Amino acid sequence: MTDQEENISVTKLEQSEGSDIVTEAFRPATQDALERLLSNELALATFSADPLEKIRHILEAYQLLDEDQRKKVECNKEKRSQLIKLHNCTISLNRITELSPPPDTYGSRHGFIPWSFANGKASSYLFWITRYFTLKDMSEKTIEYLKNGDKETWNRHYKWLAKYTRGYAMLADLLSIRTEYIEYTMPLCIALLRKIHEEFITPETWKETIGLFSGRRGKRSEGGAASTPF
Amino acid sequence: MKAEQQVHPSKIHVVWRRGFEHISFKQPLVILALGVRGGGKSVFLETVGEHYLANGGNVFDLFGASSGEGLAWLRSPWVEKEDLSVLLITGDDVSVSCSWPTKSWKDMTLSDLERNRIVISSTPLYSDKNEEFKSAGKLLDLLFQRQGWSQYINMIVRESANLFYSRMKIRQDMLQSKAEGIYLIRESRHHGLSLSMDTQKLTSVDSDFRALCDYIIIKSQGVLSLPSDYRWLYGFYRPEWLRNMKPYQFGILTSKGSIGAGTNGLPFWHKRPREHLLRVLGINIESGVELTNNQGDP
């Protein structure tokens, strides 16, 4: 090494951890990556006008967390498992597909939901459905059991619902199921969003993300927090 | 010879966040420094110039602010202690009296640029900006006549857009001058030229131009944010640091994709704010451009 080269030094990040320039200049690598991913998902949820998309992004943010981190936002083990199943339902309900009607249907519209689970497991996925469908041959006794929330009767009903909705169902029925899903899931997801935000996202990262999404950066005064992330 | 050298260049230290590269000024590099006024761009370019001098190269300080900041080389230890040869380029009708050799741009030869270790073409030494651009155009043409060389010339262009203006003075055609500017950068290494340039806004220079840089040096951005094609760098750097970094700090992006942050020493001889360099250096000028104290980086 010559005298001149002694005046230039280069090091890898690992060799300079903790130095002033590294602390001041660089974002922390791993911790920051998760925070930014979460912030990104939550911002997508915040800006999404479609309720199913909003739910999807929040549940995907939840799935980015490892098991210990998930416990911080939801301490109940069963509910943690349900959140994953709700995400499966979100994907399916986002893909309600309309079918071409046969000639004798006089214009009524039909479609199906591509559920990701088998009919036999419907009860563990469709637990959020509380409105039952009354069938022509359904007995008064069955209706009574459904009204009273009888578990066995409801399990059979969920199985039937899964079979019906993945086949050739009235579009109106499918949309009412989707609406019920949103009604059930949205409050859970909003609470989840708040918890993830509180636990894992710093105000600085959030401001920066919102700034990037809103595209307001530089157009507002320095005082506008979200508009001046940098 | 090198063992006898008493003056050392200001230190540069880089920590690589992505990739790893050694930095050597024994090759003709193209460096573009980006940052707001007062962000330390000129100081960095001078540090690079010092490294080229230390490696046996020459420095050709081509453009500067109206305050004549390039003249500060005259009080650097490279001139005062190391006694490197200096030449000041002047306007044709400008009479300059000082203790360093001067020469009109019209009389300049390639040999003048090669023989003198530090050559300064500074705004106050010209009758007007127009003449300075014409002079720069001619000097660049001289340099591009170089076919063989024994040492590199580090050309410092303190506002890179000036490089294109200088071509326009010769060509009078925007597209042709831009093409020539790009050509100068692309071909500079084949003529033994290293280019150190700065700009306040990265968008002031063409993307073709930026793509040819070996190193893009990011100095304090102030209220300006990085242009959209460099915004991904915010994934590596803290935004508040990019906005408010100190003049001795910098971010670095290389043509190979490495990303780092570093510090550079501040040459003590750099022009200070409000300093009247001509008076300090004892340079008297007749019919040069009026000297302004409030322009250029401090």
Side-chain angles (χ1 to χ4, degrees), chain B:
Chain B
M1 283 293 284
K2 283 177 184 174
E4 294 168 11
Q5 191 172 303
Q6 291 176 0
V7 180
H8 296 282
S10 305
K11 289 191 175 179
I12 294 176
H13 174 61
V14 175
V15 180
W16 295 109
R17 168 73 168 76
R18 186 176 84 178
F20 183 87
E21 291 177 34
H22 287 285
I23 296 173
S24 170
F25 295 103
K26 291 177 178 172
Q27 53 185 318
L29 298 170
V30 177
I31 298 170
L32 177 66
L34 161 75
V36 293
R37 197 171 54 171
K41 305 184 299 292
S42 285
V43 168
F44 185 86
L45 300 189
E46 284 167 1
T47 303
V48 169
E50 285 192 313
H51 279 269
Y52 273 102
L53 288 176
N55 281 300
N58 292 1
V59 164
F60 175 27
D61 203 320
L62 181 60
F63 282 115
S66 313
S67 55
E69 57 189 330
L71 295 168
W73 281 103
L74 298 172
R75 64 175 176 198
S76 73
W78 301 97
V79 175
E80 294 193 341
K81 284 188 184 170
E82 202 68 19
D83 204 22
L84 299 185
S85 51
V86 178
L87 179 65
L88 302 183
I89 302 174
T90 67
D92 197 33
D93 293 329
V94 179
S95 166
V96 177
S97 93
C98 63
S99 51
W100 298 277
T102 61
K103 197 165 190 179
S104 161
W105 64 275
K106 287 191 174 169
D107 301 328
M108 285 292 291
T109 62
L110 181 57
S111 166
D112 292 323
L113 293 168
E114 288 186 316
R115 269 205 328 266
N116 293 288
R117 298 292 303 280
I118 300 173
V119 179
I120 303 165
S121 171
S122 186
T123 307
L125 309 185
Y126 288 92
S127 57
D128 56 33
K129 269 279 179 192
N130 204 35
E131 187 185 22
E132 188 185 8
F133 283 129
K134 279 183 189 167
S135 157
K138 186 208 165 172
L139 296 167
L140 282 169
D141 283 345
L142 281 178
L143 286 169
F144 276 76
Q145 289 170 13
R146 267 183 123 200
Q147 296 303 324
W149 58 90
S150 55
Q151 79 275 35
Y152 293 121
I153 297 178
N154 175 227
M155 189 164 75
I156 298 175
V157 183
R158 289 177 200 259
E159 179 51 64
S160 45
N162 284 339
L163 199 62
F164 295 97
Y165 297 145
S166 68
R167 302 318 294 168
M168 278 189 72
K169 289 292 170 195
I170 296 175
R171 302 294 171 223
Q172 304 296 327
D173 177 279
M174 185 79 86
L175 274 179
Q176 197 184 352
S177 61
K178 182 192 155 190
E180 278 198 15
I182 301 284
Y183 172 82
L184 293 181
I185 297 163
R186 196 178 62 233
E187 297 296 314
S188 58
R189 67 185 61 217
H190 302 301
H191 299 278
L193 277 179
S194 155
L195 292 180
S196 302
M197 302 167 284
D198 74 27
T199 184
Q200 291 193 27
K201 277 169 68 190
L202 205 50
T203 45
S204 300
V205 290
D206 201 86
S207 59
D208 296 342
F209 181 114
R210 300 192 310 246
L212 293 168
C213 295
D214 294 299
Y215 299 135
I216 289 182
I217 302 297
I218 301 164
K219 287 285 188 176
S220 175
Q221 298 299 299
V223 74
L224 301 170
S225 61
L226 290 172
S228 55
D229 48 342
Y230 286 93
R231 208 155 281 170
W232 55 275
L233 286 171
Y234 285 116
F236 292 90
Y237 297 117
R238 290 181 185 276
E240 64 274 21
W241 181 75
L242 284 179
R243 198 172 53 213
N244 295 320
M245 73 173 84
K246 297 170 185 80
Y248 62 84
Q249 296 176 321
F250 63 89
I252 179 169
L253 170 65
T254 76
S255 57
K256 291 176 185 166
S258 299
I259 294 167
T263 54
N264 61 280
L266 304 174
F268 67 89
W269 47 269
H270 180 73
K271 184 190 172 300
R272 287 180 276 278
R274 294 185 294 280
E275 189 178 25
H276 197 302
L277 264 183
L278 295 180
R279 261 184 226 148
V280 171
L281 295 165
I283 300 175
N284 295 309
I285 299 171
E286 283 176 28
S287 72
V289 295
E290 193 175 332
L291 193 62
T292 54
N293 287 328
N294 54 355
Q295 290 186 36
D297 290 349

Side-chain angles (χ1 to χ4, degrees), chain A residues 33-152:
Chain A
L34 175 67
E35 186 187 343
R36 289 172 71 81
L37 277 171
L38 288 172
S39 186
N40 198 46
E41 287 292 348
L42 297 193
L44 282 166
T46 306
F47 282 96
S48 180
D50 177 356
L52 271 184
E53 277 298 293
K54 193 182 284 286
I55 289 167
R56 182 174 74 82
H57 286 299
I58 296 169
L59 292 174
E60 284 175 2
Y62 170 76
Q63 291 195 72
L64 285 168
L65 305 175
D66 63 29
E67 198 53 37
D68 288 337
Q69 289 167 329
R70 287 179 189 184
K71 283 176 189 169
K72 283 187 181 176
V73 292
E74 179 53 71
C75 54
N76 186 309
K77 190 180 177 184
E78 194 186 339
K79 283 189 177 171
R80 287 204 297 276
S81 157
Q82 283 182 353
L83 287 172
I84 304 298
K85 287 174 178 167
L86 285 173
H87 180 255
N88 287 354
C89 292
T90 311
I91 302 294
S92 304
L93 289 165
N94 238 338
R95 282 163 176 71
I96 292 177
T97 306
E98 190 171 358
L99 297 165
S100 305
D104 59 346
T105 53
Y106 301 103
S108 58
R109 296 167 70 185
H110 290 76
F112 71 94
I113 303 171
W115 296 115
S116 60
F117 50 83
N119 291 346
K121 290 188 175 178
S123 59
S124 65
Y125 281 87
L126 301 181
F127 57 89
W128 41 271
I129 295 180
T130 55
R131 292 172 202 156
Y132 56 87
F133 287 75
T134 313
L135 307 173
K136 277 181 192 171
D137 54 351
M138 195 180 265
S139 67
E140 287 295 323
K141 201 176 172 183
T142 305
I143 293 170
E144 194 61 28
Y145 278 136
L146 286 171
K147 272 184 188 172
N148 294 333
D150 179 68
K151 199 177 174 186
E152 276 302 309

